[in-house]
Amino acid sequence: MYDTPALREQFPILQTTVQGKPLIYLDSAATSQKPREVIESMNRYYYESNANVHRGIHTLSERATQAYEGVRKKVVRFINASSVREIIYTRNTTEGINLLANTWGRATLTSKDAVLITGMEHHSNIVPWQILQQQLGFELRHVPVTDGGELDLDALPRLLDSKVKLFSFVHVSNVLGTINPVEMLVRQAHEVGALVHIDGAQSVPHMPVDVQALGCDFLSFSSHKMCGPTGFGIFWGRRELLQEMPPFFGGGDMISVVSLEQGSTWAELPHKFEAGTPSIAEAIGLGAAIDFLSELGMDNVRQHEIELTTYAMEALSEVPGIRFLGPLDPHKKGGVATFTLEGVHPHDIAATLDEQGIAIRAGHHCAQPLHERFGIPASARASFYLYNEPSEVDALVVGLRKAQALYAL
Ligand code: PLP
């Protein structure tokens, strides 16, 4: 395991204060903080190598291209992909899912087909399918969620039939923390001939993810939740599938030949899906984040979160009137504790905690259907990452009691 206090020193923002109090950042599921090396890798690029990629035959452009393209190899190793051709650069998870819907989805789906999602999806894995459904008229089904916050697997046989062409589901729920049984779900989907897309926004940053071991066909995730910069993400797909898919955005860099008379042909993978000048510094920042995470070891990151979540669930259980959403067992969930507190609105919880320098999330966390399922408009979520410590959980508990004293009595 690693030394958390020493690790925290690598995150400049964790040394700062908010509202005059030392910052306690428990909102990493929304976005993670960034270590110095990630920030400096981007600065270095701007100071020393800034140039457009792929185009220039000059030293800076070649240097920028090498750094930018080199990140693909790091991503390949990080998720155990087969080739850099499978690694598509996007802006975030949301863009990855929209890419899938608008390329594979638009080219494949008809009114006779169905797409299966689940009742615990982030809006980014609901809305792109709804938009496409309105245009193509396929059926959009979802796997219901149990009272315990897990997928209702008993419902799967009636939902997963040969009409389903894609099963797209979240690996780790951003609200419940539930870790879904990916391998088993992939096997069942493949048995009926459906492809599988995994929303890895909350899994890739927190645990080892091996696309070949999972057996999935597509995976999307965001750099900003894994110590990297905002505005950058990865869409991974099996090469033979990507090869067949039409492009997403059109423009420079994604073409082979453009002719006004004969039309255009597309560049080889992965560039077919990457139109226009990309986020170069951000790619380099993600590369530095992957180096940082790889050095720590993703098994260690996961272990740290299990230990901290175990501590948090025990400590939070002592707060009167707390009701958790999702599994209680830290081995069955990611590093989140999502709850309601009797008599205190989640926004009042968050505002009271903020006065004590504690950042948590309150609201529907871009998962309105899931909150509807549990009959509540909003919840409060504390989410942990590799830099959080038990003393921060203690401060959270004190803060919650304060909120209760202020609002509930
Ligand atoms: N999926 C899940 C499970 C998430 O938690 C999030 C973000 O919170 C997303 C998708 C969307 O990520 P982004 O906003 O980076 O596209």
Side-chain angles (χ1 to χ4, degrees):
M1 281 304 290
Y2 53 83
D3 174 9
T4 315
L7 185 82
R8 289 173 66 83
E9 284 173 18
Q10 299 183 49
F11 288 79
I13 208 168
L14 298 181
Q15 323 306 323
T16 62
T17 55
V18 164
Q19 307 250 20
K21 309 270 168 42
L23 169 65
I24 294 180
Y25 188 74
L26 302 177
D27 195 18
S28 294
T31 198
S32 74
Q33 296 303 347
K34 326 298 176 198
R36 189 172 288 109
E37 185 44 38
V38 167
I39 301 165
E40 284 176 1
S41 71
M42 296 170 71
N43 282 343
R44 263 197 313 276
Y45 160 73
Y46 280 123
Y47 281 129
E48 297 167 11
S49 312
N50 180 51
N52 212 333
V53 291
H54 300 151
R55 303 178 190 178
I57 315 232
H58 61 78
T59 304
L60 278 194
S61 177
E62 277 172 16
R63 206 186 284 164
T65 303
Q66 255 179 21
Y68 172 81
E69 285 299 332
V71 174
R72 268 187 241 272
K73 292 193 198 119
K74 296 183 186 196
V75 179
V76 163
R77 279 195 296 275
F78 197 65
I79 61 168
N80 194 28
S82 303
S83 154
V84 289
R85 297 200 179 275
E86 298 180 334
I87 307 299
I88 314 297
Y89 290 162
T90 61
R91 276 189 307 137
N92 45 37
T93 305
T94 305
E95 187 173 300
I97 300 171
N98 277 276
L99 186 158
L100 182 64
N102 283 288
T103 60
W104 175 86
R106 200 173 286 287
T108 313
L109 295 167
T110 71
S111 58
K112 296 193 181 69
D113 300 324
V115 168
L116 182 60
I117 57 173
T118 82
M120 62 170 79
E121 299 308 317
H122 187 280
H123 295 163
S124 65
N125 194 30
I126 301 174
V127 182
W129 303 114
Q130 288 178 331
I131 294 172
L132 198 63
Q133 179 201 29
Q134 284 170 5
Q135 295 162 359
L136 303 182
F138 56 85
E139 199 186 328
L140 185 56
R141 302 174 177 173
H142 68 270
V143 183
V145 175
T146 66
D147 290 344
E150 294 179 318
L151 291 181
D152 180 359
L153 298 177
D154 293 340
L156 209 55
R158 89 180 142 75
L159 292 166
L160 196 52
D161 59 27
S162 59
K163 266 185 88 172
V164 177
K165 295 291 173 288
L166 178 76
F167 187 11
S168 180
F169 61 89
V170 71
H171 190 171
V172 175
S173 160
N174 61 314
V175 177
L176 308 165
T178 314
I179 303 174
N180 286 318
V182 175
E183 282 117 312
M184 189 262 274
L185 296 174
V186 167
R187 222 175 312 119
Q188 295 199 22
H190 284 172
E191 270 168 25
V192 298
L195 296 175
V196 176
H197 166 260
I198 307 290
D199 171 351
Q202 300 290 349
S203 59
V204 176
H206 297 278
M207 58 187 64
V209 170
D210 175 331
V211 287
Q212 297 191 53
L214 293 177
C216 55
D217 302 293
F218 304 105
L219 171 81
S220 303
F221 56 99
S222 300
S223 150
H224 70 94
K225 293 184 198 281
M226 52 189 288
C227 295
T230 52
F232 202 72
I234 300 294
F235 176 72
W236 168 85
R238 283 200 288 118
R239 188 170 171 176
E240 59 276 22
L241 295 169
L242 295 175
Q243 206 87 51
E244 295 302 312
M245 284 157 52
F248 184 24
F249 295 132
D253 243 26
M254 51 74 70
I255 49 81
S256 170
V257 177
V258 178
S259 154
L260 289 178
E261 271 71 43
Q262 275 136 43
S264 304
T265 54
W266 316 136
E268 292 294 321
L269 289 173
H271 300 111
K272 177 172 81 173
F273 293 107
E274 297 174 1
T277 298
S279 301
I280 304 165
E282 285 73 11
I284 290 168
L286 174 64
I290 289 178
D291 290 344
F292 176 83
L293 291 172
S294 304
E295 203 160 304
L296 281 181
M298 291 310 292
D299 281 319
N300 290 331
V301 171
R302 173 69 185 138
Q303 188 55 33
H304 174 82
E305 286 185 28
I306 290 176
E307 284 168 21
L308 194 63
T309 310
T310 304
Y311 184 82
M313 294 303 282
E314 273 175 29
L316 289 167
S317 303
E318 301 292 316
V319 179
I322 199 163
R323 183 184 149 220
F324 293 107
L325 268 74
L328 300 176
D329 180 352
H331 291 89
K332 290 190 170 173
K333 64 185 216 158
V336 300
T338 301
F339 54 89
T340 55
L341 202 54
E342 206 180 329
V344 195
H345 192 281
H347 288 131
D348 292 330
I349 298 176
T352 308
L353 291 172
D354 182 55
E355 284 166 13
Q356 295 154 68
I358 305 171
I360 66 150
R361 195 80 161 176
H364 53 61
H365 320 296
C366 295
Q368 276 182 344
L370 183 62
H371 281 77
E372 205 177 305
R373 155 71 181 83
F374 285 100
I376 50 174
S379 59
R381 179 186 71 191
S383 56
F384 311 116
Y385 204 15
L386 44 88
Y387 36 66
N388 289 118
E389 303 182 294
S391 61
E392 296 179 304
V393 172
D394 296 341
L396 172 67
V397 171
V398 171
L400 291 179
R401 288 185 187 275
K402 205 171 265 183
Q404 244 171 355
L406 277 173
Y407 290 95
L409 302 176

